Amino acid sequence: MWFAQTNFESMQTWDQLFLDLNLATMCAGSTPYGAISSGALAISDGRIAWVGPELELPSYDAKTIDRLDGRWLTPALIDCHTHLVFGGDRAMEFEQRLNGATYEEIARAGGGIRSTVQATRNTSQSALLESAIYRVTTLMREGVATVEVKSGYGLDSNTEIKMLEVAQELEQSCSASIVKTFLGAHAVPEEYQHDADSYMDFVADDVLPEAHERQLVDAVDAYCETIAFSTPQVATLFDKAKTLGIDVKLHADQLSDCGGAELAASFNALSADHLEYTTAVGVEALASSGSVAVLLPGPFLMLGETQLPPIDELRANSVPIALATDCNPGSSPLCSIRLAMNLATSLFKLTPEECLAGVTRNAAQALGLLSDRGTLEKGKRADFVEWKVSHPRELTYWAGINQLHRLFIDGEVVD
């Protein structure tokens, strides 16, 4: 929360001061959106130095002063679950699903993740980077400053490393902050199609340690599902991640109740994602562990899902709910965080405030970054968006209209 400061304090020196604005701080509390009308925000050295009502400003000396004509500031948005580094596309499978084939049928026939694996293995690192830059900048145009990027379309040592190196290069090529997640346990590759246990041992004992040694891994993920890996198999990988001091997260209970939420909670996972088939027991486990529930309306829509995540139970148990695009070539060819917010209202009945919290405060928590970003508070990164809206609820209400005026990352305007 912001703290009022008085004019009796010593003079404050700031790089930039923003006045004549409204703030949706997204700090948890009794005020919807953490809203502050007629507010002010100051930044220094890329951090928020002061935030609160303009009437409570202390004495200050600011290098520049910017008046915003009553526009709204929110924290910069965060896409906390993407697979946006990949080769090829799966538009043909999209058409097959429309003609009646299920996601599982396509996957078992050699399509699905495996088809993208083949395309990604055959795509050069430079080409992967070029396409990924396009997707990240598309997200940034909607106010996204932090993007989680998973590997998982290599399923061999060389390609998994290649994907993570592309994610690292993304951060150097764009202003956005990139969180690199190792998803070597995304599917069983053809080379191990009859021996998933051996593949998981290979991932845990060989690929993950190499990627970690190269400082390419911020978190470890796995796909726990009947068409992917069992809970004991995932536990093998997560045990290794924990010995390396790496946080974990999980694709959990998307297509069936595999006990994924309980497994994620047992490892104190940052998040459990999808959760369509999670039971009340799984929700209670997430609440106890402090894990975030990441809901993904994109694949829910694209796959024609009908089993809703247990949203009322998540609310009742105070499990933080985040939202993300799940941008990927198969189940969620979605590269719009704003559309994901809009879909979450119509598909999951989330409120506009829950949606905005889901792509700011709770998304930051899902990446282990809440102490650094996700709300407008003193000391946090000066990642924020200036919007041309009359109220922040419009950010969920509108689809296809971009009200972004300016995006700031580390206190600098992004072109």
Side-chain angles (χ1 to χ4, degrees), residues 22-84:
N22 295 296
L23 294 155
T25 67
M26 299 313 297
C27 296
S30 58
T31 303
Y33 299 90
I36 300 173
S37 59
S38 301
L41 182 143
I43 58 176
S44 286
D45 298 323
R47 296 275 162 177
I48 298 174
W50 195 92
V51 58
E54 187 172 333
L55 288 175
E56 298 182 13
L57 274 169
S59 299
Y60 63 85
D61 177 23
K63 294 179 183 177
T64 60
I65 297 177
D66 198 345
R67 297 187 180 275
L68 305 190
D69 298 324
R71 285 187 286 273
W72 281 86
L73 294 187
T74 73
L77 309 187
I78 298 170
D79 196 347
C80 65
H81 182 131
T82 84
H83 306 253
L84 56 74

Side-chain angles (χ1 to χ4, degrees), residues 74-79 136-147 337-338 359-360 383-387 402-409:
T74 73
L77 309 187
I78 298 170
D79 196 347
V136 169
T137 53
T138 298
L139 290 169
M140 292 173 67
R141 291 188 189 104
E142 291 191 341
V144 173
T146 300
V147 183
I337 196 73
R338 293 283 306 282
V359 297
T360 55
D383 288 2
F384 55 90
V385 187
E386 180 183 350
W387 302 98
N402 189 357
Q403 303 100 324
L404 183 143
H405 187 68
R406 289 186 294 182
L407 169 64
F408 290 80
I409 298 180

Side-chain angles (χ1 to χ4, degrees), residues 15 45 90 99 267 289 328 369 395:
D15 292 336
D45 298 323
R90 301 209 317 254
N99 287 326
F267 281 90
S289 68
N328 75 73
L369 297 175
L395 301 177

Side-chain angles (χ1 to χ4, degrees), residues 50-162:
W50 195 92
V51 58
E54 187 172 333
L55 288 175
E56 298 182 13
L57 274 169
S59 299
Y60 63 85
D61 177 23
K63 294 179 183 177
T64 60
I65 297 177
D66 198 345
R67 297 187 180 275
L68 305 190
D69 298 324
R71 285 187 286 273
W72 281 86
L73 294 187
T74 73
L77 309 187
I78 298 170
D79 196 347
C80 65
H81 182 131
T82 84
H83 306 253
L84 56 74
V85 174
F86 58 84
D89 66 61
R90 301 209 317 254
M92 183 177 69
E93 295 178 13
F94 169 68
E95 191 171 45
Q96 289 174 333
R97 290 199 304 273
L98 291 174
N99 287 326
T102 68
Y103 186 76
E104 295 94 327
E105 288 170 346
I106 292 170
R108 294 189 188 282
I113 292 169
R114 287 183 181 178
S115 64
T116 299
V117 167
Q118 190 62 44
T120 304
R121 288 179 178 181
N122 293 334
T123 302
S124 69
Q125 188 160 327
S126 61
L128 288 174
L129 177 61
E130 182 180 0
S131 62
I133 288 173
Y134 179 75
R135 296 177 191 117
V136 169
T137 53
T138 298
L139 290 169
M140 292 173 67
R141 291 188 189 104
E142 291 191 341
V144 173
T146 300
V147 183
E148 187 255 18
V149 176
K150 303 179 191 293
S151 67
Y153 291 132
L155 308 186
D156 62 17
S157 181
N158 290 339
T159 315
E160 288 295 307
I161 295 294
K162 177 173 70 173

